[in-house]
Amino acid sequence: MYKYFLKRLFDIFFSFIGLVLCLLPFLILMIAIKIDSKGPVFFLQERVGKNKKIFKIHKFRTMRVDTPHDVPTHLLKNPDEYITKVGRFMRKMSLDELPQIWDIFTGKMSIIGPRPALWNQFDLIAARDGYTDKKGRTVNDIRPGLTGWAQINGRDELEIPEKARFDGYYLQNLSFKLDVKCFFLTFAYVFTRNGVVEGGTGAMEKEHKEQEEKKDGEE
């Protein structure tokens, strides 16, 4: 009953409360973004939603307007040069994700669920198709979330197969208890920046490989 009915009711209720409570913080962040750099306050990007339907996710803009669009941060040659000063602070505290509360309220997302893939992240989308629940639903058949099981188990440090595996676990074990666990552990990860690597998915692993290659070269 929870996964098919109550989960959506909770999303509507808590996202509405979130929108009301965030009115003032939203206004402050919007003013800061406009003062810090030229461009719109919000950043809209095509993501893969429930049943692989494409939707436009809402985020606060943290990068310059000349940043390549629809390119994962970890694929940018030097992502740091595109991030604004205010954007760096928002990304550090995950404040740039707050506008997705609206996406949750309108039904495009859920509070807890697999993070929505970019429309062109074909490797992640395909990997998620490899995990199904008892009713035959894949990870791509459920609403993506603001945070999820993968986010409290490594976030940016995870490679695609590992991230998909955690998403698969969430799908197969979806419950109220698991959602509550993801929700509260997310706060711990945000405040400690645990698992956050500027540059995105797998960046930590890439850095480790480069260090190993450098060490081998010195030997």
Side-chain angles (χ1 to χ4, degrees):
M1 185 178 180
Y2 171 73
K3 66 174 71 175
Y4 300 111
F5 180 67
L6 292 179
K7 182 175 172 67
R8 179 59 193 145
L9 283 183
F10 286 160
D11 283 340
I12 295 172
F13 177 74
F14 287 110
S15 61
F16 176 76
I17 292 177
L19 288 171
V20 174
L21 294 178
C22 286
L23 281 177
L24 182 57
F26 272 27
L27 181 60
I28 294 173
L29 289 173
M30 290 166 70
I31 293 173
I33 293 169
K34 292 300 291 184
I35 292 175
D36 184 45
S37 63
K38 295 181 180 179
V41 169
F42 296 105
F43 173 66
L44 274 63
Q45 192 176 53
E46 290 190 341
R47 297 287 182 115
V48 179
K50 183 180 179 181
N51 299 319
K52 292 186 181 179
K53 290 183 178 179
I54 303 298
F55 75 100
K56 289 191 175 182
I57 197 173
H58 291 77
K59 302 179 75 171
F60 280 127
R61 181 176 58 83
T62 61
M63 306 182 93
R64 302 197 318 253
V65 292
D66 60 336
T67 305
H69 200 64
D70 286 333
V71 177
T73 307
H74 70 284
L75 292 181
L76 293 173
K77 197 168 185 180
N78 185 10
D80 282 340
E81 70 176 79
Y82 293 105
I83 302 174
T84 64
K85 292 179 181 178
V86 171
R88 194 173 305 281
F89 168 74
M90 288 194 295
R91 290 165 75 98
K92 181 179 180 180
M93 302 302 296
S94 295
L95 296 175
D96 57 315
E97 310 286 357
L98 287 180
Q100 288 160 46
I101 296 175
W102 173 252
D103 295 323
I104 295 170
F105 184 71
T106 57
K108 295 174 183 176
M109 291 179 62
S110 180
I111 296 173
I112 310 297
R115 283 297 296 163
L118 280 166
W119 67 270
N120 56 2
Q121 283 185 294
F122 305 116
D123 51 352
L124 178 57
I125 297 169
R128 284 174 168 176
D129 273 335
Y131 295 91
T132 59
D133 63 9
K134 293 179 180 179
K135 292 204 171 187
R137 299 186 307 170
T138 72
V139 174
N140 293 310
D141 292 328
I142 62 176
R143 282 190 181 88
L146 181 63
T147 184
W149 187 242
Q151 279 59 56
I152 63 171
N153 282 283
R155 299 182 71 173
D156 297 334
E157 293 181 8
L158 300 175
E159 292 291 333
I160 293 298
E162 192 73 359
K163 181 174 288 188
R165 186 174 69 82
F166 280 118
D167 291 335
Y169 176 88
Y170 175 78
L171 168 72
Q172 295 162 356
N173 296 274
L174 202 163
S175 65
F176 175 72
K177 182 178 179 180
L178 184 59
D179 276 5
V180 170
K181 184 176 183 179
C182 289
F183 181 82
F184 285 106
L185 284 179
T186 293
F187 286 99
Y189 273 69
V190 167
F191 288 117
T192 61
R193 293 208 78 210
N194 197 355
V196 178
V197 182
E198 202 58 74
T201 303
M204 182 72 80
E205 181 65 24
K206 181 179 178 182
E207 183 179 331
H208 286 167
K209 288 179 180 178
E210 290 176 349
Q211 289 176 352
E212 288 298 322
E213 290 175 358
K214 184 178 180 181
K215 185 186 295 183
D216 291 340
E218 291 175 350
E219 292 176 352

